[in-house]
Amino acid sequence: MLSALKKLIVQVAKYLVKDYVPRSIIFSIDLLLSIIAINSAFFLISTLDSHELQVLNLKWELWMIAGIQVIYFIAFRSYFGLVRYSSFQDAIKQMQVTLSCIFTVLIINHLDLYFFGHKLIPDAGIFIYGFIAFSLLFFFRISVKRTYELLHSDQKSYKNAYILGTSVSDVAMAEGLVSQNAEAFNIIGFINLNPNENPSRNRIFNLPIYDLTQIKEASNRAQAVIVSDSKLQKLQNSSNPVITELLELKVKIYKLPKIQDWDHTNFKNVQEIHIEDLLQRTPIKLNNKKLFSIYENKSILVTGAAGSIGSEIVRQLIPFQPERIILVDQAETPLHELKLELQKNYPDLSFVSVIANVRDKKRLQQVFEKHLPEVVFHGAAYKHVPMMEDNPLEALSVNFRGTKNMADLALKYQVERFVFVSTDKAVNPTNIMGATKRAAELYIQSLANRLDNKVSFITTRFGNVLGSNGSVIPHFKKQIAHNGPITVTHPDITRYFMTIDEACQLVLEAGAMGKGGEIFVFDMGSPIKIIDLANHMIRLTGLTPQKDIQIEFTGLRPGEKLYEELLADKETTLPTHHQKIMIAKASHHFDHSTVTLLSDLEASIKANKEKTALDHLNFLVPEYIHAVVKNKKDQFTPLPKAIEKS
């Protein structure tokens, strides 16, 4: 008999804590608890009188109070939501329902006394009812929540965790985690970030507050630390090394969304931080009013649309409500995946997917004729430095000639704006990729300087993008997944980094502010040593550099710089209204020889004359000398005397 009763209780409990219980069931249980509370109140009041005890009261007064309670259940929607995730907010809602019912019954009670000379129920009984009703309603929710946690405790492992910080927002985050995410994390304390405070004398929610020294010395420290996204950004933009120190202790770090994005069921969004989170900088503030005026209701063409930069440009254009987006790329599968993503996430977006190669001018002309773009973002390019060193003609064909094809068609079809996505490697280039991009920049500027030009030709330059296709971070992730080693070319090599969304936001902003002919360069912050990047990524996996994962140095690759040029140098740039966007001062004087070289460079590329094309490139970009020419016995092919004289 007892075993059967136990099974029944377990089955009922499992039903109440299953993934979804109809609201009608929760409503019915709340009503039943209210009726029990009313009967209890009548019973307690009856013990004070000489009358017979009212153990089960079904008088009309009971049903009236129950009816009032039902009205407030519906008004406050207190039976909505998932009971297993009940929190402090739910307690407040039950309190509102109960207090509203109490005050309403009190008013009716005194009106009844005024008009009929008696009360429905003594005032004390009303308050007793309110106390019992709130207790039962809240206890029911807490019981279901705790039962759910116990029934699922064998499915998920708990992680002991600290909350990083003791501010008001940190305490609010802790409260939400304790009440809504207890099956994943067991909050055991807070980490104080203020060295002037003595944490040992204070407690929050009866949980201790530690400083970092205590965490380091603890033999049974927690496995995780949880930090809000906003605090993580502040720490990364300051000199506070707490994140690095925690990683060195092999403590997993998790983050929550920004406070304004939280809701009472959203604490499941705790995510383990990635290297991109550790390198993020102050969020960018865009001039949305200006961007709307440029991009709203426009037909916008994006080349390289399936790439990491191109696809993010597309996503960030969508909020500005373009009339249509033309996605151009030669990569079939990535373009198809982008198409499926846009159809799913933005069903109202008007866009077309076009398979085309920027080297094929006739195909591109068909696209311009059919879709008549008003704004062009040209991001299609070959970007891998070592690969392009081995295939210089292909780099020239795509990066220079492809850009020329797009720019010529933009001029022919009189688009309003042409935004060319360049690279910091175009500054004093030491590799073919950078040199071809620099040559493309020169061609864009030559068109911008034409007297008959009405197109705003704009160039944007920035450095390495975190997590872009083929970049160092995905490469390191693969090496770590295979237990290393991580290969770094040089212990002192540094690079500038920004996130994909940051880079694309600045591209859109620069594209909107440009009047034509400018080369916009972005503030990339401080350079990051690649060896530090590798160490951070190893620690993020809970491993120790040079112990669990080895780091090996392979030597600089052909065309690779030890340090990239500082794009935000005040001596070589002019400020704009946006603090992260500068204009590069003109460093090239256009004359007849430049125009001739640009024309001859295209002709040699078209004729597949690699040696001649490289010679023209060397004269066009004199700061660059191709490695093939430097390291072999080959000499420059003399240029025609007509060009030399000009």
Side-chain angles (χ1 to χ4, degrees):
M1 181 70 179
L2 288 175
S3 61
L5 181 60
K6 184 178 179 181
K7 285 183 179 180
L8 178 61
I9 294 173
V10 170
Q11 290 298 321
V12 171
K14 285 187 175 181
Y15 177 76
L16 289 175
V17 299
K18 68 181 184 177
D19 288 342
Y20 177 75
V21 176
R23 290 170 181 163
S24 59
I25 300 295
I26 304 301
F27 179 86
S28 300
I29 294 174
D30 285 350
L31 178 58
L32 176 61
L33 294 176
S34 298
I35 293 173
I36 293 173
I38 299 169
N39 263 293
S40 301
F42 273 96
F43 170 75
L44 292 173
I45 290 297
S46 70
T47 61
L48 302 176
D49 298 331
S50 59
H51 301 97
E52 185 179 349
L53 294 179
Q54 300 179 17
V55 178
L56 182 61
N57 191 316
L58 297 177
K59 293 181 179 180
W60 68 270
E61 293 95 335
L62 180 147
W63 297 112
M64 186 196 74
I65 296 173
I68 294 172
Q69 186 84 1
V70 165
I71 291 173
Y72 286 114
F73 281 154
I74 297 172
F76 287 98
R77 300 165 64 139
S78 61
Y79 54 93
F80 278 56
L82 298 176
V83 177
R84 66 177 182 272
Y85 295 142
S86 295
S87 65
F88 181 73
Q89 289 93 331
D90 296 287
I92 294 295
K93 186 167 289 189
Q94 297 303 326
M95 180 67 74
Q96 291 172 331
V97 169
T98 306
L99 289 176
S100 298
C101 184
I102 288 174
F103 288 126
T104 303
V105 176
L106 279 173
I107 292 171
I108 295 174
N109 222 19
H110 286 273
L111 288 174
D112 191 53
L113 177 64
Y114 180 79
F115 288 107
F116 301 104
H118 61 83
K119 294 181 180 180
L120 297 174
I121 180 175
D123 289 347
I126 299 173
F127 287 103
I128 292 172
Y129 157 70
F131 175 77
I132 297 174
F134 172 76
S135 300
L136 290 176
L137 292 169
F138 185 65
F139 179 75
F140 160 63
R141 282 159 173 77
I142 294 301
S143 300
V144 171
K145 176 181 177 179
R146 185 57 183 160
T147 304
Y148 177 84
E149 292 169 1
L150 292 173
L151 291 175
H152 289 77
S153 61
D154 58 337
Q155 299 176 17
K156 293 185 178 180
S157 58
Y158 287 76
K159 288 187 180 72
N160 288 333
Y162 306 111
I163 297 296
L164 188 60
T166 56
S167 67
V168 174
S169 60
D170 298 322
V171 173
M173 180 175 66
E175 182 184 19
L177 286 165
V178 168
S179 62
Q180 299 175 31
N181 211 0
E183 74 272 14
F185 296 100
N186 177 34
I187 307 301
I188 65 170
F190 294 78
I191 298 178
N192 177 48
L193 296 177
N194 188 348
N196 298 321
E197 294 181 359
N198 184 359
S200 61
R201 297 182 181 179
N202 299 303
R203 297 177 78 85
I204 299 175
F205 297 145
N206 204 32
L207 296 173
I209 304 174
Y210 304 97
D211 60 29
L212 200 57
T213 302
Q214 292 173 309
I215 300 296
K216 291 178 181 178
E217 295 173 351
S219 57
N220 58 340
R221 72 175 71 96
Q223 309 101 309
V225 168
I226 304 174
V227 58
S228 66
D229 183 76
S230 57
K231 185 176 291 293
L232 182 61
Q233 288 186 23
K234 290 178 182 177
L235 290 172
Q236 290 309 114
N237 292 321
S238 70
S239 57
N240 195 325
V242 62
I243 297 296
T244 300
E245 293 180 24
L246 289 170
L247 288 174
E248 289 175 350
L249 295 173
K250 295 188 176 182
V251 175
K252 292 280 188 181
I253 301 177
Y254 296 82
K255 71 168 185 174
L256 269 175
K258 298 177 183 177
I259 292 179
Q260 58 263 35
D261 297 330
W262 297 358
D263 59 50
H264 74 283
T265 61
N266 204 27
F267 283 86
K268 294 295 178 183
N269 288 347
V270 181
Q271 298 173 347
E272 192 170 346
I273 65 168
H274 303 291
I275 189 65
E276 291 85 351
D277 299 310
L278 297 183
L279 300 177
Q280 64 185 340
R281 300 185 290 161
T282 305
I284 294 172
K285 295 180 180 179
L286 296 179
N287 185 350
N288 287 334
K289 186 176 180 180
K290 176 70 172 177
L291 296 185
F292 262 104
S293 67
I294 298 297
Y295 304 126
E296 188 178 17
N297 296 323
K298 296 293 174 64
S299 178
I300 302 177
L301 186 150
V302 181
T303 68
S308 49
I309 297 296
S311 60
E312 185 62 25
I313 287 176
V314 170
R315 295 183 193 99
Q316 293 195 17
L317 280 170
I318 293 171
F320 300 108
Q321 301 173 10
E323 179 184 350
R324 175 184 295 178
I325 301 180
I326 303 105
L327 314 173
V328 177
D329 206 297
Q330 68 166 344
E332 174 197 14
T333 301
L335 188 59
H336 175 67
E337 291 173 352
L338 177 61
K339 177 182 177 180
L340 295 178
E341 175 194 330
L342 296 179
Q343 287 175 336
K344 177 183 178 182
N345 297 335
Y346 309 98
D348 298 328
L349 176 67
S350 175
F351 71 93
V352 291
S353 304
V354 178
I355 300 292
N357 193 315
V358 293
R359 291 180 287 193
D360 188 345
K361 192 171 184 178
K362 289 184 178 179
R363 172 64 175 142
L364 293 176
Q365 184 164 336
Q366 292 175 343
V367 176
F368 273 79
E369 286 178 352
K370 182 176 181 179
H371 300 291
L372 296 174
E374 297 164 275
V375 178
V376 172
F377 287 91
H378 176 51
Y382 281 145
K383 63 179 184 178
H384 295 291
V385 170
M387 187 71 74
M388 293 304 100
E389 289 298 296
D390 296 332
N391 300 274
L393 195 61
E394 287 298 303
L396 282 162
S397 181
V398 171
N399 294 356
F400 174 76
R401 190 172 171 225
T403 301
K404 183 179 183 300
N405 288 340
M406 289 296 301
D408 288 344
L409 290 169
L411 191 65
K412 179 178 179 180
Y413 288 90
Q414 291 295 292
V415 305
E416 296 175 11
R417 291 175 181 270
F418 182 95
V419 183
F420 171 49
V421 179
S422 189
T423 172
D424 61 350
K425 293 177 176 60
V427 182
N428 297 323
T430 59
N431 52 65
I432 189 70
M433 195 281 275
T436 56
K437 282 286 195 176
R438 178 56 182 156
E441 288 182 359
L442 292 173
Y443 187 75
I444 295 295
Q445 287 183 292
S446 73
L447 293 184
N449 289 338
R450 283 177 49 166
L451 296 177
D452 62 340
N453 170 52
K454 295 182 180 179
V455 180
S456 294
F457 284 104
I458 299 156
T459 297
T460 62
R461 268 194 208 146
F462 52 88
N464 299 278
V465 176
L466 290 169
S468 61
N469 296 333
S471 65
V472 65
I473 289 178
H475 179 62
F476 282 175
K477 285 180 179 178
K478 289 180 181 178
Q479 291 182 323
I480 293 172
H482 290 88
N483 299 317
I486 284 184
T487 54
V488 179
T489 57
H490 193 282
D492 295 324
I493 192 168
T494 63
R495 288 293 181 266
Y496 293 95
F497 287 97
M498 63 170 41
T499 59
I500 292 178
D501 62 331
E502 182 181 9
C504 294
Q505 286 174 14
L506 291 175
V507 168
L508 263 61
E509 181 77 33
M513 74 168 63
K515 294 179 173 58
E518 305 98 336
I519 295 180
F520 289 104
V521 295
F522 300 160
D523 175 9
M524 300 292 296
S526 302
I528 297 169
K529 293 187 72 170
I530 302 300
I531 183 67
D532 292 341
L533 186 69
N535 284 325
H536 269 315
M537 292 186 66
I538 294 172
R539 292 191 183 104
L540 281 172
T541 62
L543 302 174
T544 304
Q546 303 297 30
K547 180 180 178 182
D548 302 313
I549 299 286
Q550 295 296 314
I551 299 176
E552 296 180 356
F553 300 102
T554 59
L556 292 176
R557 298 170 296 184
E560 189 172 40
K561 289 181 181 180
L562 194 60
Y563 310 101
E564 295 291 4
E565 301 289 335
L566 184 60
L567 295 182
D569 191 333
K570 293 181 180 179
E571 296 180 357
T572 59
T573 59
L574 299 171
T576 69
H577 70 264
H578 197 291
Q579 61 180 1
K580 291 192 176 184
I581 302 177
M582 281 79 45
I583 300 175
K585 293 180 181 178
S587 60
H588 197 96
H589 176 67
F590 288 94
D591 53 23
H592 178 67
S593 64
T594 301
V595 176
T596 304
L597 276 171
L598 288 167
S599 177
D600 290 345
L601 177 59
E602 185 199 16
S604 58
I605 296 170
K606 194 173 182 179
N608 274 344
K609 295 181 179 179
E610 181 177 305
K611 182 69 166 58
T612 305
L614 290 174
D615 290 344
H616 287 302
L617 181 63
N618 289 138
F619 277 90
L620 186 64
V621 187
E623 60 270 31
Y624 166 72
I625 300 177
H626 188 251
V628 173
V629 179
K630 279 195 304 184
N631 300 331
K632 295 185 178 181
K633 295 181 180 180
D634 300 343
Q635 300 296 321
F636 287 129
T637 302
L639 292 177
K641 292 183 179 180
I643 296 179
E644 289 179 356
K645 289 180 181 179
S646 63

